[in-house]
Amino acid sequence: MSKIKKIFLNGIWLENPVFHQVLGVCSALAVTTRVKNAVVMSAAVIIVAALTNFTVSVLRKIIPFNLRLIIEMIIISTFVVIFDIILKAWFFDMSRQLGPYVSLIITNCIILGRSEAFALKEGPGLSFLDGIASGLGYTLILLSVATVREILGTGSFWGYKLISDADIPARGLSMAGGAFIVMGVLIWVMNSIKLSGNKEV
Amino acid sequence: MNKGMGKALLVTIIIATVCALGLAFTEKMLRKRIIDNQALAESKSLLKVLGFKDVKPSEINDIMKNSVKKIQFGTSFYHKATNVQGKIILAFPMKGKGLWGPINGYISTDETRRTIVDLIITRQEETPGLGAEIESESFYSQFRGRKIFADDNPSVVKISVAPGRRSSGEYEVDGISGATETCKGVNNMIRNTLTKAMEYSHVQN
């Protein structure tokens, strides 16, 4: 039980893939103009990370050590492409908006990183949970950045207008540069909170 | 080759084969749905430039069948429809080249083929944040109601997209700064389509 708790604590907070390990930042910057896109992207990463970790863990005893990266890539690509096909079949508009970023989950370091660091050593059940935990860590950052950018940059939330077009406070945040600023501030804030927590312990 | 290497290769080949079969199966199961979705999105774009705004997905095929007429001219075609206000609108498919890949879309004009009604980009692979901005309402809206020909020369298409800069003059629309090549591609595409549309203006049915 405590092991499961530790997995989630690590994945979401202590070793959060984005603000602690600074992995998967490329897509985190690209899809955070709208909260809706961020949610779908997060779901994709959680599902792919969990399934990949599970599969790699099941196969970990027969995967040849020197070919393991290739095999991990094959497994990751399979799940990502299947998710992409399902998105195109049932959520066509969403798939158009996310564009190439769903396919780019293949190169998302979070997923390869977790299967290397965790799934090759631990059992399938724990690996599956570790994938979910890392995915949730990614989700936390994605949703925070997307909320700030959508509200301040486009004056809406989940597509609903909150602020009239004339009064949008920081239109620049919806541009690529705005993503770097929000992400930078967020990493700074999160790490400060974490460090101050460490001192007390 | 030693024995360990042979086993490693075998395992890799088996895993790769299983994954490939899984992919092929998923693709086969869902292919029809995806093709239908693409066709529906294409029709929705076409209806938008023809003046049918906010059409429900379930109504698209009905409107396409009952209100939109496809007219062949030369080796190409255009679509003709009467909009809600009773005006006849013509929509011409556009094909062009951008910086990274093909650009497709529709441009619609009034019955005289002298004023642009609307424009939409249905396919582009331009740089996100720069060239890809051609696929946005703010880019489309610049074209609405613009005159295609100068009053003193009604045979040469005059409207153009300013390459990567703000427009100057009555017959230019704003380009996108940082996306000069994309703007040139869109400009050529629009002008070619409109020129051809005028050349075949005698073809009515």
Side-chain angles (χ1 to χ4, degrees):
Chain A
M1 190 63 207
S2 70
K3 205 167 184 185
I4 293 173
K5 208 172 141 191
K6 202 179 149 217
I7 286 173
F8 279 94
L9 195 63
N10 275 344
I12 297 170
W13 186 247
L14 291 178
E15 287 172 17
N16 182 295
V18 184
F19 75 77
H20 181 78
Q21 307 175 54
V22 201
L23 295 178
V25 173
C26 162
S27 57
L29 292 169
V31 299
T32 49
T33 46
R34 299 272 187 283
V35 175
K36 219 179 198 171
N37 297 0
V39 168
V40 174
M41 190 68 183
S42 303
V45 170
I46 293 174
I47 293 170
V48 172
L51 291 178
T52 304
N53 260 6
F54 178 80
T55 316
V56 169
S57 174
V58 168
L59 299 173
R60 71 186 187 282
K61 296 214 169 85
I62 60 163
I63 291 177
F65 185 74
N66 42 3
L67 292 177
R68 70 187 193 286
L69 282 175
I70 296 176
I71 292 178
E72 283 161 22
M73 285 314 293
I74 294 174
I75 295 169
I76 295 170
S77 317
T78 308
F79 287 126
V80 170
V81 176
I82 287 178
F83 190 89
D84 196 30
I85 293 174
I86 290 175
L87 217 54
K88 275 189 188 134
W90 276 289
F91 304 95
F92 189 73
D93 288 338
M94 182 53 74
S95 122
R96 278 204 66 165
Q97 281 182 36
L98 290 176
Y101 292 104
V102 173
S103 323
L104 282 176
I105 294 176
I106 294 173
T107 59
N108 190 319
C109 327
I110 295 172
I111 295 163
L112 189 63
R114 289 326 288 174
S115 61
E116 275 282 295
F118 197 94
L120 281 176
K121 296 175 198 124
E122 305 280 346
L126 286 180
S127 297
F128 186 80
L129 292 178
D130 182 74
I132 291 181
S134 296
L136 285 175
Y138 178 78
T139 307
L140 173 73
I141 304 301
L142 230 61
L143 288 187
S144 318
V145 178
T147 308
V148 174
R149 286 183 74 193
E150 190 173 355
I151 293 178
L152 298 183
T154 54
S156 50
F157 184 79
W158 198 266
Y160 294 105
K161 270 255 158 278
L162 299 176
I163 309 167
S164 72
D165 273 345
D167 300 331
I168 290 173
R171 216 174 278 271
L173 288 185
S174 63
M175 314 262 181
F180 283 97
I181 295 170
V182 177
M183 179 77 80
V185 171
L186 199 73
I187 291 179
W188 170 40
V189 170
M190 295 271 189
N191 279 323
S192 310
I193 297 174
K194 216 170 76 182
L195 285 179
S196 68
N198 281 356
K199 267 176 216 154
E200 284 160 23
V201 174
Chain B
M1 199 197 295
N2 62 35
K3 209 178 156 208
M5 194 62 192
K7 195 187 155 223
L9 271 179
L10 189 68
V11 171
T12 311
I13 290 169
I14 291 173
I15 293 177
T17 313
V18 171
C19 287
L21 286 176
L23 276 187
F25 179 74
T26 319
E27 216 272 340
K28 184 121 184 82
M29 294 304 286
L30 298 177
R31 181 183 291 159
K32 201 181 164 297
R33 263 195 96 91
I34 294 172
I35 292 173
D36 287 352
N37 282 340
Q38 282 162 347
L40 213 60
E42 183 81 17
S43 302
K44 198 178 169 196
S45 303
L46 174 60
L47 288 181
K48 185 167 174 272
V49 294
L50 285 170
F52 298 91
K53 302 264 156 69
D54 302 320
V55 181
K56 289 196 194 84
S58 53
E59 299 168 347
I60 290 176
N61 285 332
D62 272 354
I63 301 179
M64 283 296 288
K65 214 190 290 167
N66 300 327
S67 314
V68 180
K69 210 167 137 195
K70 189 172 172 182
I71 295 162
Q72 205 74 32
F73 70 104
T75 54
S76 193
F77 61 90
Y78 66 90
H79 298 273
K80 185 177 179 180
T82 310
N83 75 357
V84 208
Q85 284 97 40
K87 282 203 185 107
I88 291 176
I89 299 181
L90 312 175
F92 301 88
M94 303 188 286
K95 279 190 169 71
K97 276 203 287 276
L99 176 61
W100 302 118
I103 301 179
N104 294 354
Y106 289 102
I107 190 163
S108 58
T109 69
D110 65 352
E111 205 181 359
T112 64
R113 308 182 191 210
R114 301 198 161 271
T115 308
I116 296 175
V117 172
D118 206 348
L119 174 127
I120 196 165
I121 302 291
T122 52
R123 175 182 176 187
Q124 53 87 10
E125 294 158 20
E126 302 308 294
T127 320
L130 294 173
E133 293 300 305
I134 55 170
E135 191 183 340
S136 69
E137 264 318 301
S138 55
F139 188 70
Y140 303 156
S141 64
Q142 299 189 75
F143 290 88
R144 291 178 193 139
R146 297 296 286 263
K147 278 198 241 165
I148 298 171
F149 302 96
D151 292 332
D152 55 349
N153 188 354
S155 57
V156 178
V157 172
K158 181 87 177 158
I159 186 111
S160 66
V161 180
R165 56 170 170 78
R166 278 198 173 281
S167 59
S168 55
E170 196 189 339
Y171 295 100
E172 260 188 355
V173 300
D174 290 348
I176 294 158
S177 155
T180 309
E181 288 306 312
T182 305
C183 290
K184 282 182 187 163
V186 172
N187 182 48
N188 289 340
M189 175 174 79
I190 292 173
R191 292 172 62 96
N192 289 344
T193 310
L194 292 175
T195 305
K196 208 164 152 204
M198 205 56 201
E199 275 169 19
Y200 284 90
S201 59
H202 56 282
V203 183
Q204 289 298 332
N205 285 298

